[in-house]
Amino acid sequence: MRKIFLITGGAGFIGSYLAVNFKKHFPRSSVITIDNLVRKGSSHNVLLLKKYKIKFIKGDVKNKAVFSRLPKVNILIDCAADSRVLAGYKSSVRKLVGSNFLGIINSLDYAARVKADFIFLSTSRVYPFDKINCLNYTRRKSRFYLACRRKGVSLWGIREDFPLQGIHSFYGATKLASEYFIKEYAYAYNLRTVINRCSIISGPGQFGHSEQGIVSYWLASFLFKKPLKYIGWGGEGLQVRDALHIADLFNLVLKQIKHIEKIKGKIYNVGGGQKNSFSLKELSHRCQKITANKIKVDKIKKTVLLTLSGI
Ligand SMILES: NC(=O)c1ccc[n+]([C@@H]2O[C@H](COP(=O)([O-])OP(=O)(O)OC[C@H]3O[C@@H](n4cnc5c(N)ncnc54)[C@H](O)[C@@H]3O)[C@@H](O)[C@H]2O)c1
């Protein structure tokens, strides 16, 4: 396959991994990356991009001019975002909307102009947390289990048909708004698009912090003996997440590119599934075992979002 890929947010954890592996997988293809390097750690990934002769453009996707001098690409993978869960609460919503929504519009305008296929990395945070928090859960040993069946909820967790009305966080709302516009552009310009609603993606090259990249953040905290907190849900660390390795995400994206004519317009939940799920308490046990370090984990009963909104 000889293609030209464009990856926005291409110096980030996911973007840089995809870029390098596209280059390894399709040596005759070109990969172009755009990133404003706002995320701490992303500048390290630029060295990696250069090593693999991947074109790196330092630029901001909310600036339309960034797209004006690009060659015609075949596939655009949108990985540029401010993905901090609490973005917009103590920082500017306008800035968040610029990166996460206007940036997508610019990407879509460009994709429509050059007729590029469009793959969007969305998030499980498009599902409204106020509704998810009201589902029934039972406590067994070191984690909570979902104990109800209703529309959009199965034995495996939250499905793609879970009702979307509710409160999402500012971050989740920018992603959901982007999803709606992707559907409109797909219709208006006959674009082939795929939306991946990712849960936790983990693996090498991730510079995790308290608001994103939980697995690397947790492991690094154990390694360097930094204190952690269980926040919300009674502060016991029983809330469950599932993680997908970045190599599996790459394989998924490869398949999507190959079959895009068949799957265009689809939305997928992308995660590690129950087999690769863990509660924070279980993650602590695992990290303790790996690092042989024991650290203090504070218990904060209320979630940060409830505390911020004064509930
Ligand atoms: N990693 C995960 O667990 C996860 C889970 C769900 C969804 N996602 C989504 O996947 C995408 C990639 O996530 P990631 O983990 O690689 O995050 P990341 O923060 O490592 O990468 C995002 C990159 O985008 C860049 N960026 C931010 N705003 C920009 C702008 N306005 N212009 C240009 N570049 C900009 C950042 O500098 C960063 O390098 C994001 O859209 C994120 O919302 C990631």
Side-chain angles (χ1 to χ4, degrees):
M1 187 167 84
R2 191 173 194 166
K3 299 259 186 208
I4 305 181
F5 296 88
L6 172 64
I7 304 180
T8 60
F13 162 53
I14 295 178
S16 62
Y17 189 95
L18 296 181
V20 167
N21 284 278
F22 281 136
K23 196 73 196 168
K24 285 182 182 169
H25 213 83
F26 307 112
R28 292 186 321 131
S29 293
S30 316
V31 183
I32 304 168
T33 55
I34 301 176
D35 202 299
N36 65 356
L37 302 183
V38 74
R39 171 88 185 236
K40 245 189 184 169
S42 290
S43 51
H44 291 281
N45 292 332
V46 175
L47 302 174
L48 192 68
L49 298 175
K50 290 196 170 145
K51 183 175 157 200
Y52 284 91
K53 301 201 169 19
I54 292 163
K55 187 173 169 59
F56 171 71
I57 299 168
K58 185 166 184 225
D60 195 312
V61 289
K62 64 179 180 289
N63 175 8
K64 213 174 160 81
V66 166
F67 295 87
S68 62
R69 288 183 300 274
L70 292 176
K72 177 181 168 2
V73 306
N74 308 102
I75 298 156
L76 194 163
I77 302 177
D78 197 299
C79 301
D82 179 347
S83 47
R84 292 172 300 133
V85 189
L86 295 176
Y89 287 92
K90 284 186 173 167
S91 52
S92 157
V93 175
R94 187 175 288 268
K95 226 170 157 182
L96 179 72
V97 170
S99 283
N100 292 14
F101 181 67
L102 293 181
I104 303 299
I105 300 297
N106 288 337
S107 292
L108 284 165
D109 276 339
Y110 169 73
R113 179 156 53 85
V114 300
K115 288 272 168 254
D117 294 332
F118 192 94
I119 296 182
F120 180 56
L121 291 192
S122 188
T123 169
S124 53
R125 299 219 169 245
V126 298
Y127 299 112
F129 70 82
D130 59 332
K131 300 296 183 303
I132 291 175
N133 292 358
C134 292
L135 300 173
N136 289 329
Y137 298 92
T138 53
R139 179 187 174 154
R140 264 186 266 154
K141 289 188 184 162
S142 51
R143 61 164 74 188
F144 288 127
Y145 285 84
L146 251 178
C148 68
R149 306 284 164 264
R150 50 184 259 192
K151 186 171 164 48
V153 182
S154 79
L155 271 178
W156 306 103
I158 305 298
R159 286 197 316 240
E160 287 88 343
D161 59 345
F162 191 86
L164 292 173
Q165 298 84 350
I167 306 297
H168 310 264
S169 76
F170 286 118
Y171 164 61
T174 58
K175 289 289 195 175
L176 187 55
S178 300
E179 287 192 7
Y180 286 131
F181 274 77
I182 289 168
K183 277 193 244 164
E184 296 299 330
Y185 270 76
Y187 179 78
Y189 297 101
N190 203 16
L191 282 187
R192 301 194 294 186
T193 64
V194 179
I195 293 172
N196 291 313
R197 290 179 177 161
C198 303
S199 59
I200 289 173
I201 311 294
S202 64
Q206 186 171 38
F207 297 93
H209 53 64
S210 62
E211 289 185 50
Q212 207 242 4
I214 185 103
V215 176
S216 62
Y217 172 65
W218 221 257
L219 188 58
S221 302
F222 270 83
L223 199 60
F224 300 111
K225 296 190 180 174
K226 302 267 184 207
L228 284 168
K229 291 177 189 152
Y230 294 136
I231 303 173
W233 295 89
E236 299 288 326
L238 304 181
Q239 60 266 58
V240 174
R241 301 285 181 269
D242 67 271
L244 183 76
H245 194 273
I246 182 80
D248 293 322
L249 179 69
F250 173 70
N251 287 331
L252 173 75
V253 173
L254 268 189
K255 271 196 181 148
Q256 292 180 334
I257 290 170
K258 193 168 167 204
H259 300 288
I260 196 145
E261 182 54 29
K262 208 163 126 197
I263 63 164
K264 63 186 177 192
K266 296 252 191 232
I267 296 180
Y268 297 101
N269 279 352
V270 172
Q274 287 203 339
K275 249 174 123 181
N276 297 301
S277 67
F278 51 82
S279 69
L280 294 182
K281 199 170 177 178
E282 291 162 356
L283 184 60
S284 294
H285 286 307
R286 190 95 57 99
C287 293
Q288 191 174 320
K289 227 171 152 184
I290 294 168
T291 60
N293 287 336
K294 225 176 173 175
I295 63 165
K296 185 169 178 302
V297 185
D298 285 334
K299 298 179 174 186
I300 315 274
K301 288 190 173 172
K302 263 189 184 178
T303 72
V304 178
L305 282 181
L306 290 182
T307 310
L308 282 171
S309 59
I311 297 169

